[in-house]
Amino acid sequence: MTGAPTTPDHAREAAVEAALGKLDLDDKTRLVAGQDNWSLPALPEIGLASLVMSDGPIGVRGVRWTADDPSVALPSPTALAATWDPELARRAGRLLAQEARRKGVHVLLAPTVNLHRSPLGGRHFEAYSEDPYLTGEIGTGYVLGVQDGGVGTTVKHFVANDAETDRFTVDNIVAPRALRELYLAPFEAIVKNAHPWGIMAAYNQVNGYSMTEHRYLQNEVLRGEWGFDGFIVSDWLAARSTTGALLGGLDVAMPGPKTVYGQALAAAVRAGEVDESLVDDAVRNVLRLAARVGALDDAPAVVAESALPAHLDGDALAREVARRSFVLVRNEVRDGHPALPLDPARTRTVALSGAAARDARILGGGSATVFPPHVVSPLDGLTAALPEGALSYHVGADPSNQLGVAAKGFELRAVCRAADGRELGTTDLPSGMVKWVGADLPDTVSYDELHSVEFTGTFTPRESGDHTFGTQGIGLLVLTVGGEKVWEGEEGVGDSSDPFNAFFGERLERARVTLLEGERVDVSLHLTVPRLPGAPMDAVAFSLLHLGPRRDPEELIAEAADAARAADTAVVVVATTTAVESEGFDRTGLELPGHQNALVAAVAAANPNTVVVVNTGSPVELPWRDDVAAVLLSWFPGQEGGAALADVLTGAEEPGGRLTTTWPVALADAPVTDTTPTDGELHYTEGVFIGYRAWERAGTTPAYPFGHGLGYTDWEYETLDATTERATVTLRNTGARPGRETVQIYLAPEAAGDAADAPERPVRWLAGFASAEAGPGESVEVTIPLRPRAFEIWDEHDNAWTAVPGTYEVQAGRSLTDRRLSAPVRR
């Protein structure tokens, strides 16, 4: 008699238990500790390969941060969310899985699903939205796509890691209702709808407990209530207590080789401080991950090689995501013609300005950074798309008024030497920055032998004048320009509470050298690698910095304005810099850096047909927004951003994006701006009122509301049929060209009345959305499910989700404030 058929899940679990049974305590505790910066150890005796992790929100870094192995760079996560298309997010995830497999990576350290609580959050470009429902939907698509390709994800940062200030030490005080309805909600949706194979525990504390030790949130909520069966990995250096982390549900402490697990965990078990069964639980979760990704013998991978998704063209998908993410927030009609798309009959010449038009900012700073194989700037894209001679370019204004990493005009390589001067290895550099952590070192180089690293090469100035050079990093540094030593000194570890910022050091000016345009000079920066006893990881990080000559801002702006005056249309690209938006710090304001606002004002005064492209990852103030013909938000658009921009400006494609976060007129108007802890605590006193919920509660009008975005055609919303389970909308394309519309469904409860115990709720909230496509004159119908959770709140008294009965208005429209149809439903 044959037994019941064995399913792949059963086969994997059997292989996991068999492997676990062969391990002794020391092997088990080794397996839950990083062996280096990116991997867990292999255990050949049980058929286990080394599990490799990599940063990967927009491109797969791999285990070596090097331009020798470039990575496709997709648009920023904020841009991906602005497409409002979970299926496109799924395709993006499949591309990243494809890249991960090429680089030998089993697990991506992504996606980031923290919320845009305040516009000052410095890392918001790496997160999706201010809305938990939209965040959960896009994150679900991303996770499904990556895992379609047989690669794991680690949804991060669990939880309430919504700002960067004191991120290692801050205790975020969040009431249970806000925690459940806002900050936990995207994680819950992704766990239940996409079944991710990993979660990353955040640096911060929540309500008095470090997230890597948070028994309630990790064991009771994540694993217990939601049924999560993957592994929980610490953010890098987040785990601080051996017993606390294990008791709190943390499976893996990264990075290695020095962690709170490993030998320290084995000793704690032997001392009776923790039970070995808890170690078994953690190891079981790691082995299950290995089984799922095909790294454990006798365990069938979730996705067999023969079942992998079809190969995706990285360039084409990066371009598609970019153009689908661009949000057209203003498009004035003048003389019967909209500013965009550009009309070839009316626009024969275009004056382009802005430093970011030439030197594109395609991604945000920090761990999401990758080296793409190429970058298409706005200048490149428009030059290729427009007739020869139609485009002129002037800098106009440069947002970079501070030292930046040496890039344009520099040709550099890094030479590694031993203490006796022997050359150990070399590698070419795409810029003057090295951040070698773990296995990042060039081949043939080891940390034990490495004594010095020297950037050496040439610099060809694009402008004559005084060029400023600087350094960032710790240790003994020697800077040489044109064969002359211009600075020598030693920098120590900084005192920042963020260990990464303390290790990387400050950006410091060292010398000014007068150089001539086009005349190449030799440059070098020599670092004697510091030895830091007790450092948690092996790393080398330092940078050669540069700032070009500072021309008179008024002169630069005048040149751009003159060119605009002589052209049919002017296009200005404004941007932030890595000194404004990056991992590791929050913003202090929302102003564009440099003289960019003055540039836009001057160009707009010279040419009424001025289009402004806003190249930022999150909101900035746009004081001139009502004085220009069009405003297009391009986010950080990835490697194909310039080509996508040309597609949209010329009308070859429609801008498809809708806002995922509210854009204020000015920072002072934003309802939530506090990101700085007091006495180590940051209180989320606003409760459930962040983003558009807070704006409507305050009755303040933003510059652009949540969900806003224009296309190149018009839509008439014809009918809405709604129940508590779904909304069906019929709409017609009333324009002259095919188009795509994002239909948004909001749920608005009736007034709660005078009951003293009635829960305060937002005026309305996003309950569903869908994309509709139609040709000119065509009608299309979309049906959008409404989930039971849309009618529920978290009852803090009962510690449970509770449906709130009553009448709700189901509202269908183009944005939060452009609602076209409504229908009442009774819950």
Side-chain angles (χ1 to χ4, degrees):
M1 181 176 178
T2 59
T6 300
T7 67
D9 281 342
H10 288 150
R12 280 190 290 273
E13 288 303 308
V16 164
E17 293 303 324
L20 178 61
K22 298 175 184 177
L23 298 177
D24 63 21
L25 176 62
D26 291 316
D27 284 334
K28 287 186 283 192
T29 57
R30 281 177 55 217
L31 189 54
V32 294
Q35 67 174 350
D36 54 30
N37 200 62
W38 301 114
S39 68
L40 299 179
L43 296 177
E45 61 271 24
I46 61 168
L48 176 67
S50 175
L51 283 166
V52 178
M53 295 169 258
S54 171
D55 287 319
I58 56 93
V60 182
R61 178 192 190 277
V63 297
R64 294 185 60 190
W65 199 61
T66 171
D68 295 339
D69 183 17
S71 308
V72 173
L74 294 174
S76 65
T78 308
L80 181 63
T83 69
W84 288 60
D85 190 341
E87 281 305 310
L88 184 57
R90 189 167 188 168
R91 287 170 54 208
R94 287 179 172 180
L95 173 66
L96 293 174
Q98 177 181 296
E99 285 278 280
R101 296 179 77 93
R102 179 177 68 81
K103 289 175 174 267
V105 168
H106 300 104
V107 181
L108 286 188
L109 304 173
T112 299
V113 299
N114 301 116
L115 298 184
H116 297 178
R117 173 179 170 265
S118 162
L120 294 177
R123 203 175 180 180
H124 280 351
F125 59 85
E126 199 180 314
Y128 292 136
S129 172
E130 68 188 22
D131 181 75
Y133 176 77
L134 177 58
T135 295
E137 291 295 289
I138 299 298
T140 293
Y142 180 102
V143 169
L144 287 172
V146 173
Q147 295 183 177
D148 284 346
V151 174
T153 55
T154 56
V155 187
K156 64 183 188 182
H157 306 86
F158 190 73
V159 62
N161 186 183
D162 310 298
E164 293 293 278
T165 303
D166 294 343
R167 60 179 176 163
F168 276 80
T169 58
V170 62
D171 184 5
N172 292 325
I173 309 301
V174 192
R177 184 181 168 203
L179 190 61
R180 290 284 187 157
E181 293 186 21
L182 297 181
Y183 304 103
L184 286 171
F187 291 94
E188 181 183 8
I190 294 168
V191 167
K192 292 185 175 180
N193 298 320
H195 307 291
W197 300 342
I199 296 284
M200 181 185 288
Y203 290 125
N204 54 281
Q205 300 177 59
V206 171
N207 297 332
Y209 298 94
S210 168
M211 277 311 307
T212 56
E213 304 169 29
H214 212 303
R215 300 188 200 187
Y216 172 66
L217 290 178
Q218 293 189 144
N219 289 337
E220 296 183 34
V221 176
L222 178 58
R223 293 201 187 280
E225 292 181 27
W226 302 348
F228 174 70
D229 67 353
F231 87 123
I232 302 176
V233 60
S234 72
D235 203 342
W236 267 225
L237 302 181
R240 301 172 180 103
S241 165
T242 299
T243 57
L246 190 70
L247 292 170
L250 185 73
D251 297 317
V252 173
M254 290 296 288
K258 301 171 185 176
T259 81
V260 299
Y261 282 175
Q263 293 180 356
L265 181 54
V269 172
R270 292 187 173 109
E273 296 171 5
V274 290
D275 195 275
E276 188 171 352
S277 65
L278 296 178
V279 178
D280 290 346
D281 291 341
V283 173
R284 188 175 285 112
N285 292 329
V286 172
L287 292 173
R288 184 178 297 117
L289 170 68
R292 285 168 166 167
V293 300
L296 180 65
D297 288 353
D298 301 323
V302 171
V303 182
E305 291 283 343
S306 59
L308 289 172
H311 183 84
L312 288 165
D313 183 313
D315 293 353
L317 186 56
R319 187 169 180 168
E320 179 184 355
V321 173
R323 67 179 182 245
R324 290 275 308 280
S325 75
F326 293 167
V327 181
L328 184 61
V329 294
R330 179 178 173 85
N331 194 23
E332 289 299 285
V333 176
R334 297 177 179 175
D335 300 326
H337 297 272
L340 292 177
L342 300 176
D343 183 348
R346 297 166 54 86
T347 305
R348 295 181 175 85
T349 56
V350 175
L352 178 66
S353 61
R358 178 184 62 187
D359 302 328
R361 185 164 189 209
I362 65 166
L363 41 75
S367 60
T369 303
V370 296
F371 297 121
H374 58 263
V375 172
V376 182
S377 70
L379 178 57
D380 296 333
L382 287 171
T383 298
L386 297 175
E388 186 174 354
L391 185 70
S392 66
Y393 173 73
H394 292 81
V395 172
D398 190 340
S400 248
N401 52 13
Q402 299 177 338
L403 286 163
V405 174
K408 297 295 182 180
F410 288 84
E411 295 182 6
L412 300 169
R413 67 182 185 280
V415 181
C416 302
R417 294 187 177 89
D420 60 8
R422 284 180 297 114
E423 186 175 299
L424 301 175
T426 67
T427 185
D428 290 334
L429 298 173
S431 70
M433 176 172 61
V434 151
K435 285 186 180 178
W436 292 336
V437 182
D440 284 343
L441 291 176
D443 293 336
T444 73
V445 180
S446 70
Y447 283 102
D448 289 340
E449 272 197 300
L450 182 63
H451 178 264
S452 69
V453 181
E454 182 182 16
F455 295 159
T456 181
T458 63
F459 171 51
T460 305
R462 295 190 291 192
E463 300 169 281
S464 296
D466 289 341
H467 289 255
T468 305
F469 292 85
T471 66
Q472 181 178 27
I474 62 172
L476 179 62
L477 293 154
V478 180
L479 176 62
T480 302
V481 180
E484 294 186 14
K485 183 191 297 183
V486 296
W487 185 81
E488 179 177 7
E490 187 167 4
E491 289 293 326
V493 176
D495 58 3
S496 172
S497 64
D498 186 318
F500 293 104
N501 290 343
F503 181 74
F504 295 151
E506 295 181 66
R507 295 187 177 192
L508 298 170
E509 179 180 328
R510 301 304 189 187
R512 293 188 181 185
V513 182
T514 302
L515 301 174
L516 296 177
E517 177 183 349
E519 289 196 7
R520 182 178 300 177
V521 295
D522 293 332
V523 295
S524 74
L525 178 61
H526 184 281
L527 169 73
T528 301
V529 177
R531 298 297 176 181
L532 303 174
M537 66 181 89
D538 292 324
V540 177
F542 73 118
S543 298
L544 171 64
L545 309 178
H546 172 258
L547 181 65
R550 300 292 86 191
R551 289 184 57 195
D552 182 345
E554 293 184 3
E555 182 180 310
L556 289 174
I557 290 172
E559 290 175 357
D562 288 344
R565 193 173 292 110
D568 296 322
T569 295
V571 177
V572 186
V573 181
V574 296
T576 55
T577 69
T578 54
V580 175
E581 286 185 274
S582 181
E583 179 181 350
F585 58 86
D586 291 317
R587 295 194 283 172
T588 57
L590 302 182
E591 304 89 354
L592 285 166
H595 298 271
Q596 294 181 103
N597 285 331
L599 170 64
V600 174
V603 169
N607 189 327
N609 297 315
T610 292
V611 176
V612 183
V613 178
V614 183
N615 181 193
T616 69
S618 46
V620 291
E621 294 173 0
L622 308 176
W624 33 259
R625 67 191 183 284
D626 293 332
D627 302 324
V628 299
V631 178
L632 181 71
L633 311 182
S634 70
W635 313 111
F636 296 147
Q639 67 182 48
E640 303 296 324
L645 179 63
D647 290 341
V648 167
L649 293 185
T650 61
E653 300 286 348
E654 198 178 28
R658 302 294 184 265
L659 286 181
T660 68
T661 196
T662 307
W663 277 52
V665 173
L667 176 61
D669 299 329
V672 181
T673 57
D674 185 14
T675 62
T676 302
T678 300
D679 297 327
E681 295 183 345
L682 181 62
H683 290 255
Y684 286 34
T685 56
E686 69 282 349
V688 298
F689 293 92
I690 67 168
Y692 63 83
R693 294 166 169 81
W695 283 92
E696 288 207 307
R697 184 194 200 194
T700 308
T701 302
Y704 304 115
F706 178 82
H708 176 60
L710 307 173
Y712 288 160
T713 189
D714 297 313
W715 296 89
E716 180 182 344
Y717 282 59
E718 296 181 327
T719 64
L720 167 64
D721 178 59
T723 69
T724 56
E725 296 178 344
R726 52 114 185 106
T728 301
V729 180
T730 304
L731 61 163
R732 181 184 300 275
N733 181 350
T734 59
R737 61 176 284 165
R740 184 184 186 99
E741 174 74 334
T742 298
V743 180
Q744 301 167 35
I745 300 296
Y746 294 90
L747 203 59
E750 67 178 357
D754 297 327
D757 60 346
E760 185 180 14
R761 289 189 287 174
V763 174
R764 75 194 92 249
W765 52 87
L766 182 70
F769 60 91
S771 295
E773 295 183 76
E778 293 179 352
S779 290
V780 61
E781 181 180 277
V782 294
T783 297
I784 301 169
L786 301 179
R787 297 175 182 171
R789 180 62 58 79
F791 298 90
E792 296 174 342
I793 67 165
W794 182 259
D795 188 315
E796 294 185 348
H797 180 267
D798 293 337
N799 201 35
W801 288 103
T802 303
V804 181
T807 300
Y808 293 79
E809 191 170 71
V810 176
Q811 302 168 342
R814 310 196 71 231
S815 75
L816 181 80
T817 59
D818 187 1
R819 304 179 302 278
R820 302 293 181 88
L821 299 171
S822 65
V825 297
R826 182 75 185 174
R827 178 68 170 84

